[in-house]
Amino acid sequence: MKESSRGRVYLVGAGPGDPELLTLRAARLLREAHTVVHDRLIHPGVLEHARPHARLIYVGKEGGGESVRQEDINTLLIAQARLGRIVVRLKGGDPFVFGRGAEEALALEAARIPYEVVPGLSAGIAAPSAAGIPVTHRDVSGEVTFATGFRVNGTPDWPFLARAQTLVMFMAGQRLEETTAALVSAGRAASTPAALVEAGTWEHQRVVEGTLADVAAKARDAGLGSPSLLVVGEVVALRARLHTLTTRRDSSAGDVLPRFAEAGND
């Protein structure tokens, strides 16, 4: 098959959730795409940008639930492109930040399918910001570490993570007690401020603040679910002083959308 007869795949970051945080380029590509292959954590408002009659294919993953195998997603992208279609692979946040975008890019490379990566606003920055937590402050934290407690092979380097000035842990909901205990065991003070941000930037965003010693219990008592981010560090304490952000309400929000089960591997 000649290169010119093939379609093209765009690995597109949809941002953290709020449709207004979608990039202009992402919105344009959605209007042009013949096929949109999307994850579970995509706001319905984002999909409204898709062109009429575009084929929307759901390939979400849910921890402990039914999931589409990554190998099957790769095969789907390649097959759709070989039909000559413009394909948008729509992923929450940024494709290359805990989004398996690199795995898909490598598969497209191996199949010699033309593709591009369209960055999106990562939830690791956006969710804390929407919750009133600045991940950096020159008097408190000059560095940020992004990590996940989920590993295909091995375990996280807890001593390294425990030393981070600001630590943002993705996919923290189901492993919160294990994560906070591991950080304390690795040397982080149990009194370190910590917060769990559920559904950052969505209409039903919720935040629980505490310390490494008690944030897991507080989140459990409040019934926080997923998707959730854990933020650890002195920057969390600044939230109490940012009253405008912490009392933010989206006047355009409609009904509260259903909460999701923990993804764990999206």
Side-chain angles (χ1 to χ4, degrees):
M1 182 180 293
K2 295 182 180 180
E3 189 78 14
S4 60
S5 66
R6 294 181 180 177
R8 177 177 294 269
V9 177
Y10 294 90
L11 304 177
V12 177
D18 185 342
E20 293 189 348
L21 297 177
L22 189 70
T23 67
L24 293 174
R25 180 164 170 75
R28 178 176 65 79
L29 289 172
L30 281 169
R31 291 193 296 269
E32 297 174 355
H34 304 107
T35 304
V36 178
V37 181
H38 66 94
D39 281 344
R40 185 176 57 91
L41 301 180
I42 301 298
H43 195 290
V46 170
L47 294 176
E48 290 178 0
H49 290 278
R51 68 188 290 177
H53 310 301
R55 185 180 181 189
L56 304 181
I57 304 176
Y58 172 79
V59 293
K61 300 181 178 68
E62 296 186 23
E66 295 185 2
S67 299
V68 180
R69 296 190 316 143
Q70 187 61 52
E71 294 81 1
D72 294 335
I73 296 174
N74 297 345
T75 299
L76 173 64
L77 297 176
I78 293 167
Q80 289 290 305
R82 284 179 172 164
L83 291 173
R85 294 172 178 166
I86 297 174
V87 182
V88 163
R89 172 65 172 111
L90 194 61
K91 310 175 78 67
D94 181 273
F96 279 4
V97 180
F98 302 120
R100 296 195 177 185
E103 296 177 42
E104 293 167 358
L106 289 170
L108 295 168
E109 286 275 2
R112 302 187 66 182
I113 298 295
Y115 72 96
E116 293 182 29
V117 177
V118 180
L121 180 57
S122 173
I125 297 172
S129 294
I133 302 172
V135 294
T136 65
H137 187 288
R138 62 180 181 173
D139 294 333
V140 177
S141 176
E143 63 184 43
V144 187
T145 299
F146 299 99
T148 173
F150 178 80
R151 295 286 192 279
V152 175
N153 299 306
T155 58
D157 185 346
W158 294 115
F160 171 78
L161 297 179
R163 293 193 298 270
Q165 290 184 5
T166 298
L167 174 63
V168 179
M169 294 287 291
F170 285 70
M171 296 173 277
Q174 284 188 339
R175 302 174 179 85
L176 188 55
E177 292 188 6
E178 172 188 335
T179 297
T180 54
L183 290 170
V184 172
S185 295
R188 195 63 179 257
S191 59
T192 303
L196 193 72
V197 183
E198 176 195 58
T201 80
W202 286 68
E203 294 90 337
H204 55 277
Q205 171 183 298
R206 294 195 297 167
V207 184
V208 165
E209 290 182 70
T211 65
L212 278 179
D214 62 15
V215 70
K218 288 184 175 181
R220 183 177 62 250
D221 292 344
L224 261 65
S226 298
S228 296
L229 282 172
L230 174 66
V231 187
V232 179
E234 296 302 322
V235 292
V236 174
L238 296 174
R239 184 172 187 265
R241 297 162 56 188
L242 300 177
H243 300 291
T244 299
L245 283 175
T246 56
T247 57
R248 172 182 174 269
R249 293 292 184 272
D250 185 352
S251 60
S252 65
D255 294 337
V256 173
L257 297 175
R259 294 186 172 84
F260 298 98
E262 178 75 6
N265 55 2
D266 272 359

